[in-house]
Amino acid sequence: MKVINPKVRYKIKPFDLRGVELGPSRFHDQFYATRDYFMALPSEDMLLGFRRRAGMPHPGIELGGWYSNEASHTPDHDEIGNPFGQWISALSRMYATTGDTNILKKVQYLVTEWGKTIEPDGYFFYSRDSSSYHYVYDKFVCGLVDAIIYCGFRPAEDYLY
């Protein structure tokens, strides 16, 4: 890590997740349970609102839950897209630690298909009625950066400009 200010003493530094292995533990079990959960989420369901907003065919079903229409109690307020960047980030980091090519393929597919929904003016959110643009933007940037760093998926760079 390049030290920008030599007077600053870093207390924590990022490290590369590639090659990290968890031994038998609760953390190991939670990691693999989370991986299994994310891998079981149908990609078409994860992309549904982005495609709908872009006027594209949108197979899949609403995922429901915290960010869904049911949670917001307004039919035009879709927030399920909020965790999309977090999913990309998590899957990318999971790929870095496992080398599982199925995870890599899911990341590549999700980023590529989501990229097709970006409007000419750059609008990329799940719906036209997002209540937290700054939060979602931050999560997307993190997910795209992780896809580049941990998956080597260079096409994700195009969406950061």
Side-chain angles (χ1 to χ4, degrees):
M1 173 191 286
K2 181 179 177 183
V3 177
I4 297 171
N5 183 344
K7 295 180 183 178
V8 174
R9 216 172 116 220
Y10 293 95
K11 295 189 185 237
I12 188 169
K13 296 179 185 177
F15 63 94
D16 193 341
L17 294 171
R18 289 173 280 216
V20 170
E21 293 182 29
L22 294 171
S25 64
R26 176 162 88 215
F27 298 114
H28 174 278
D29 297 345
Q30 288 176 335
F31 174 87
Y32 284 98
T34 303
R35 180 209 55 193
D36 293 347
Y37 177 80
F38 285 164
M39 290 301 291
L41 285 173
S43 298
E44 305 311 316
D45 297 354
M46 297 166 82
L47 292 162
L48 180 116
F50 298 107
R51 290 174 168 161
R52 179 177 49 220
R53 187 237 335 118
M56 300 168 63
H58 47 279
I61 59 168
E62 291 285 348
L63 290 170
W66 179 253
Y67 293 109
S68 71
N69 292 338
E70 301 112 37
S72 65
H73 303 292
T74 59
D76 61 343
H77 191 77
D78 297 323
E79 292 298 332
I80 193 66
N82 280 349
F84 189 81
Q86 293 168 305
W87 293 332
I88 299 299
S89 182
L91 288 164
S92 296
R93 292 169 184 225
M94 289 174 186
Y95 170 70
T97 62
T98 65
D100 182 338
T101 57
N102 289 321
I103 298 173
L104 175 63
K105 290 175 187 173
K106 187 167 184 114
V107 169
Q108 293 171 332
Y109 179 78
L110 289 170
V111 172
T112 299
E113 291 300 307
W114 165 77
K116 294 175 184 177
T117 72
I118 299 173
E119 296 182 16
D121 66 358
Y123 194 88
F124 65 87
F125 297 95
Y126 192 82
S127 75
R128 281 283 170 192
D129 187 27
S130 181
S131 63
S132 53
Y133 292 108
H134 61 288
Y135 176 81
V136 177
Y137 176 80
D138 174 69
K139 301 307 169 194
F140 269 81
V141 169
C142 184
L144 293 171
V145 168
D146 284 348
I148 295 162
I149 291 172
Y150 294 119
C151 296
F153 192 57
R154 293 283 174 228
E157 291 176 358
D158 295 338
Y159 307 126
L160 291 171
Y161 297 105

